Amino acid sequence: LSHENVSICYQPANSTQGLTCVNSTRFETTGIEPTGQRYVHSVHFDELTPDTLYEISIFYMNSNVDALSKEYDFMPMDYNPTVGGYLAVIEYYHTLPAFNSTKEINIAMGGDAGYNHISAQIAFQASLYNPDVIVISGDVAYDNGIKACYYAWDQFLEMFKPIYKKRGFLVPLVLGIGNHDVGKDSMCRAVLKPEEYTPHWYLMFPQHRPRGADGTLQSGVPALKDRKTYFHSTVGNLLLVSLDAGYQEPLNGPQLEWWISLNDNHKEYVKMANYHNPIYWSSDYPTPGDVLDTQQTMDGLKYWVPEIDRSGYRSVWENHVHAFKRTFPLIGGNVHENGTLYLGEGCWGAGPNLTPLWNQTGVIAAFNADRNLFWAVHVNNTNNTAVYSAVDQYGTVFDQVTQQLRL
């Protein structure tokens, strides 16, 4: 938005109960050409009712309509004296189901997206699955953490409008962290401080509420310096965890401690995780050699796999390689009928890297590197199943597996 002072209001759709308004927290993009400078407004809504359609109204808080029209090149709708501002736009949002809901859940997930004609085709195919949530696990817009590449985000966000139009409301985006979001590789010793230099991934998407000293979530929008690259979402009885595969946080330490505590506090939830760099690589990209020797892989096997096994994760979504892969169900790196599926591998819009299969450990059940794809995840709690379908840009389902959710 281009206006400094914004209030965002909500009420159940077709309701006469009146608007509840929250003044936004404003963040600014600076240090780039004027066409790229804008204000980013964030709010946190408390106490929304699950599985409910809401009307979201955005107001420019200025009673001088002539000044608004002249300065911001926009013609507002009606002035609302109760709110004290001019209505700029109305959107709709459908809240996600509660823990005990039996409603079926659809998730479109992938990674390494960016914007091009193929990623737009993938987004269109995803729209046909009526996703309740869209998960992009890193390398989201391919701006490389460069603020002057703001247009990459404009194009990326534009790509999902067909989904919103088909569904009739906004669909939440869960956006993980990858190398092209912060402009550095996994396990890099340089640490980016978002309060000093703020990539758009940090600025535009506060993916969690503020955390107290004990890790408990609080109301409000986190300051830039407090925004983490690991966070969680709940969708019905699903716990979706997004992790940082070594870009801003090591795989052990505070991130691992937070994750263990989160899992212990959500024992009744079905668990799925996503991150960027894989632990179970399907190819030797980006460099020839034994990927098991890389520090990120060794740390993943040492710190993350035991926690995935301990907490009974049903699936883990890996990316970065620009290929398709599905492992056998695994426990401790070994094939086990009750184990975790590792799916990937980051090819929403990025070109397939055409590398050969690397399967020295024998854990890869299916692989190819010649097509783009997303994964359609369909969760049915009534029959206790999750169906994972790999879908290419033409709508072809070329791999599918069904999994029991609760063992």
Side-chain angles (χ1 to χ4, degrees), residues 81 148 259 329:
W259 188 23

Side-chain angles (χ1 to χ4, degrees), residues 2 18 62 168 326 333:
S2 57
N62 189 325
R326 171 174 55 83

Side-chain angles (χ1 to χ4, degrees), residues 186-188 243-247 249-253 255-256 259 275 277-281 291-308 318 342:
S186 177
M187 314 307 288
C188 176
L243 297 171
D244 181 341
Y247 293 101
E249 300 281 346
L251 278 66
N252 59 347
Q255 177 176 209
L256 181 59
W259 188 23
Y275 47 83
N277 264 37
I279 295 172
Y280 296 108
W281 290 70
V291 294
L292 291 176
D293 289 339
T294 66
Q295 188 65 49
Q296 184 265 337
T297 300
M298 290 190 292
D299 284 357
L301 292 169
K302 179 178 180 180
Y303 298 117
W304 283 9
V305 168
E307 181 55 23
I308 289 168
E318 304 186 316
Y342 291 78

Side-chain angles (χ1 to χ4, degrees), residues 102-109 126 128-133 167 235 237-238 240 270 272 314-315 317 341 343 374-391 397 399-405:
T102 59
K103 185 174 182 179
E104 297 178 21
I105 299 168
N106 293 303
I107 301 172
M109 70 88 169
L128 303 181
Y129 288 79
N130 293 321
D132 301 296
V133 180
R167 298 241 59 192
V235 184
N237 69 340
L238 297 183
L240 300 182
V270 175
M272 300 177 182
R314 302 310 295 133
S315 63
W317 311 338
L341 290 171
L343 308 173
F374 78 99
W375 284 93
V377 183
H378 179 76
V379 175
N380 187 327
N381 282 295
T382 301
N383 64 15
N384 191 39
T385 60
V387 179
Y388 305 93
S389 303
V391 186
V397 177
D399 188 78
Q400 188 175 80
V401 62
T402 300
Q403 176 192 56
Q404 294 296 112
L405 287 175

Side-chain angles (χ1 to χ4, degrees), residues 37-54:
Q37 296 176 15
R38 74 278 307 268
Y39 299 115
V40 176
H41 296 268
S42 299
V43 297
H44 174 248
F45 291 151
D46 286 306
E47 300 178 357
L48 297 181
T49 303
D51 199 12
T52 301
L53 182 65
Y54 280 90

Side-chain angles (χ1 to χ4, degrees), residues 9 18 45 59-60 77 147 157 163 167 215-216 221 259 271 286 291 300 317 349 382:
C9 308
F45 291 151
F59 289 90
Y60 281 7
M77 300 182 203
K147 290 197 288 186
L157 294 172
I163 296 179
R167 298 241 59 192
T216 57
V221 177
W259 188 23
K271 299 177 179 66
V291 294
W317 311 338
T382 301

Side-chain angles (χ1 to χ4, degrees), residues 91-92 123-124 127-128 130-131 134 157-171:
E91 298 282 3
Y92 290 89
F124 172 77
S127 74
L128 303 181
N130 293 321
I134 300 166
L157 294 172
E158 187 78 15
M159 180 169 68
F160 296 104
K161 286 187 175 180
I163 296 179
Y164 307 154
K165 182 177 181 180
K166 184 175 185 298
R167 298 241 59 192
F169 49 81
L170 300 174
V171 175

